[in-house]
Amino acid sequence: SIFSINDVSGIPSIDVDANGRILLAPYGITTDYVGIGTTNPVSKLDVKGTITCTDINSTSDISLKDDIQTFENPIDILEKIRGVRFNWKKDNRPSVGVVAQEIEKVLPELVSDTDVKSVNYNGIVGVLIEAIKDQQTQINNLKEEILLLKQ
């Protein structure tokens, strides 16, 4: 039968390690976190490794938001962020991304407040959208200026 974490009396977390073995979190932990590849999850679902899926949807409904503000000077924000290539220390596997500590300086709301920091990459999309729009405005203005100069 299917059971939830709450069905296991006194055991608040069930973890699945990297080999697919089901492990019970140490007795006495009072969270309902689930780990895959870890026996010490630090969030509701903590996966150590690659997740493959068709889609990821993030809740974004306007009815759940207050104080909505469009980014001011998004290009200035992006200029403070580096896109980097790197190798993971664990297995020397190459990857690309950003550095959480650098994101934290300009967009602290996108960085976890945990010992090992993580980044909400979805949150960067809003800055990118506004930066592209700003650049398109600049391009359109330059096109108009060129046309005027040609006349």
Side-chain angles (χ1 to χ4, degrees), residues 6-142:
N6 295 332
D7 294 328
V8 183
S9 178
I11 306 293
S13 180
I14 297 172
D15 302 317
V16 181
D17 72 11
N19 297 317
R21 293 182 303 241
I22 296 174
L23 305 168
L24 300 178
Y27 184 78
I29 292 178
T30 58
T31 66
D32 58 352
Y33 293 177
V34 174
I36 299 175
T38 178
T39 56
N40 297 305
V42 296
S43 59
K44 287 283 188 184
L45 176 60
D46 187 346
V47 178
K48 301 295 183 213
T50 302
I51 298 173
T52 302
C53 63
T54 302
D55 287 308
I56 294 178
N57 291 340
S58 295
T59 304
S60 188
D61 194 284
I62 195 168
S63 68
L64 302 174
K65 300 176 181 184
D66 283 327
D67 195 25
I68 298 171
Q69 302 171 27
T70 302
F71 279 103
E72 301 270 336
N73 306 310
I75 294 172
D76 292 342
I77 294 170
L78 291 180
E79 286 177 341
K80 296 174 184 164
I81 297 171
R82 288 187 306 152
V84 297
R85 290 178 181 264
F86 61 92
N87 292 337
W88 290 107
K89 288 182 177 181
K90 176 182 175 183
D91 57 10
N92 204 36
R93 184 174 46 89
S95 192
V96 296
V98 295
V99 177
Q101 286 79 356
E102 293 175 7
I103 298 293
E104 189 172 38
K105 291 176 184 173
V106 291
L107 297 165
E109 61 271 39
L110 298 183
V111 179
S112 68
D113 187 24
T114 54
D115 287 341
V116 177
K117 296 184 180 296
S118 60
V119 174
N120 173 356
Y121 277 81
N122 287 338
I124 298 171
V125 171
V127 181
L128 294 172
I129 288 169
E130 291 305 313
I132 290 169
K133 288 165 49 178
D134 276 5
Q135 287 185 338
Q136 191 60 48
T137 298
Q138 291 176 29
I139 291 167
N140 292 343
N141 291 341
L142 289 170

